Amino acid sequence: MEYLDSRILSYRPHAAIRLQDHINEYQLFRLDPKCDSKCIGHVMALLSKTKCTNVSLLASLKIVEARCDGYDHVSAHSIGHIGETIDDPGLMPEEMVEEDSEAYTDSNSFNHSTERILQYKNVIWNLDRIDQVATSLDKKLDLSCFPRLGGGVFLYVLDSGCRISHIEFNGRVKGVRVGRYTTFEDGHGHGTHVSGTAAGNTYGLCKKCTVFCVKTLDEDNRGSLTDVLNSVDWVIHHRQAHPANSAVAVLSLGARAETDLLDLAMKDLLNANIIPVVAAGNGKDDACAWTPARSENVITVAASTSHDLTRWSSNGGDA
């Protein structure tokens, strides 16, 4: 497996990682936890007056991003001094979402009666795997532990965007664009695939959750660390504005990288009461060398096959 330069995180879950294209050329500066609003203003002004352009703040992550000469790409420079954290909703990245739809009801979905649930048979293998303790699959799905099918849950999918008009979603999916992107549309297909696996009418389990497809990767299914951090920042702000909803964030992306900024961002998600679920990675490697898979604050999921075997390319770890 070729080592991935920390200057750029390239996400191609089912293809070789390429290094030649550098996206954005941003630098990331981690603020001291005690840096208050006055301190942050001073830091941003100082960067703007010197050699940096496009200076902006990811408030929920306490990170300043900018384009600066003379700094290593995507490095974590610790700056700032005493004070308190800030909460400025005006600094939220621009979003684009579809209008809210009525509560979703799927007449062809699983029956919510426990008696009928226990009899649901011949399910697709990924759903069969969910309720199995033993190593073998039985083609049945017991939904007694999932009676609401995600009702009231916000599912944030940080990926290549989403085709929100897909029949599998019945209007429950909303597109969000942040950072450098001008649209939330999925130019690759991976984001739509991930959303469908989690929440589609046919193959998903979270059939009643509301999905926010946060555009993080481009049409080549690639993105920078800056792209991911922008998306995480938006998700935390959105969750804080809707505290009554349970929340899960899905990041089917990752790479080998020395910087710990994305690992720390996963901790920020969890502290905001958002459960991060991330891919182990497809490098046939130790997942502990990959971010965000190695974070202690996430649920890391490896890849399996329809024969209930570990996928040959999946990252893993100690049993």
Side-chain angles (χ1 to χ4, degrees), residues 82-99:
I82 60 172
E84 299 177 352
T85 59
I86 67 168
D87 183 12
D88 186 356
L91 294 169
M92 290 177 62
E94 184 180 0
E95 65 175 303
M96 180 188 297
V97 301
E98 293 295 297
E99 295 182 0

Side-chain angles (χ1 to χ4, degrees), residues 80-285:
H81 52 81
I82 60 172
E84 299 177 352
T85 59
I86 67 168
D87 183 12
D88 186 356
L91 294 169
M92 290 177 62
E94 184 180 0
E95 65 175 303
M96 180 188 297
V97 301
E98 293 295 297
E99 295 182 0
D100 290 338
S101 58
E102 297 296 325
Y104 167 63
T105 301
D106 180 10
S107 59
N108 297 319
S109 184
F110 306 121
N111 189 296
H112 289 199
S113 163
T114 301
E115 291 75 20
R116 293 296 299 277
I117 286 172
L118 294 175
Q119 298 175 15
Y120 197 87
K121 302 178 180 179
N122 298 320
V123 295
I124 194 71
W125 69 273
N126 65 307
L127 294 176
D128 190 8
R129 168 44 49 208
I130 293 172
D131 69 342
Q132 297 301 305
V133 176
T135 56
S136 60
L137 300 177
D138 61 6
K139 296 186 178 181
K140 299 178 184 178
L141 177 58
D142 179 358
L143 285 178
S144 57
C145 292
F146 316 100
R148 296 172 58 191
L149 297 178
V153 174
F154 281 175
L155 177 65
Y156 299 100
V157 179
L158 283 65
D159 214 285
S160 61
C162 196
R163 178 184 164 193
I164 62 175
S165 61
H166 199 291
I167 192 173
E168 282 289 309
F169 301 133
N170 258 33
R172 293 176 294 119
V173 177
K174 306 175 188 302
V176 179
R177 63 179 178 91
V178 297
R180 65 188 173 103
Y181 295 109
T182 59
T183 177
F184 58 77
E185 296 293 339
D186 187 359
H188 181 273
H190 190 260
T192 303
H193 156 68
V194 170
S195 300
T197 299
N201 298 342
T202 305
Y203 302 110
L205 180 66
C206 194
K207 298 177 184 292
K208 291 188 175 295
C209 65
T210 300
V211 182
F212 294 90
C213 282
V214 186
K215 178 76 171 176
T216 306
L217 309 178
D218 61 21
E219 63 276 5
D220 292 321
N221 209 33
R222 306 175 67 227
S224 69
L225 178 58
T226 301
D227 293 329
V228 184
L229 292 174
N230 269 282
S231 294
V232 171
D233 187 62
W234 184 91
V235 168
I236 292 175
H237 275 295
H238 188 268
R239 173 69 177 83
Q240 290 171 340
H242 301 85
N245 294 82
S246 300
V248 176
V250 175
L251 294 90
S252 184
L253 49 79
R256 290 186 66 104
E258 293 180 352
T259 177
D260 63 351
L261 287 180
L262 192 50
D263 304 311
L264 294 174
M266 297 301 100
K267 183 178 181 180
D268 291 330
L269 279 173
L270 194 60
N271 288 340
N273 295 318
I274 304 165
I275 299 174
V277 180
V278 309
N282 287 297
K284 201 177 181 181
D285 195 5

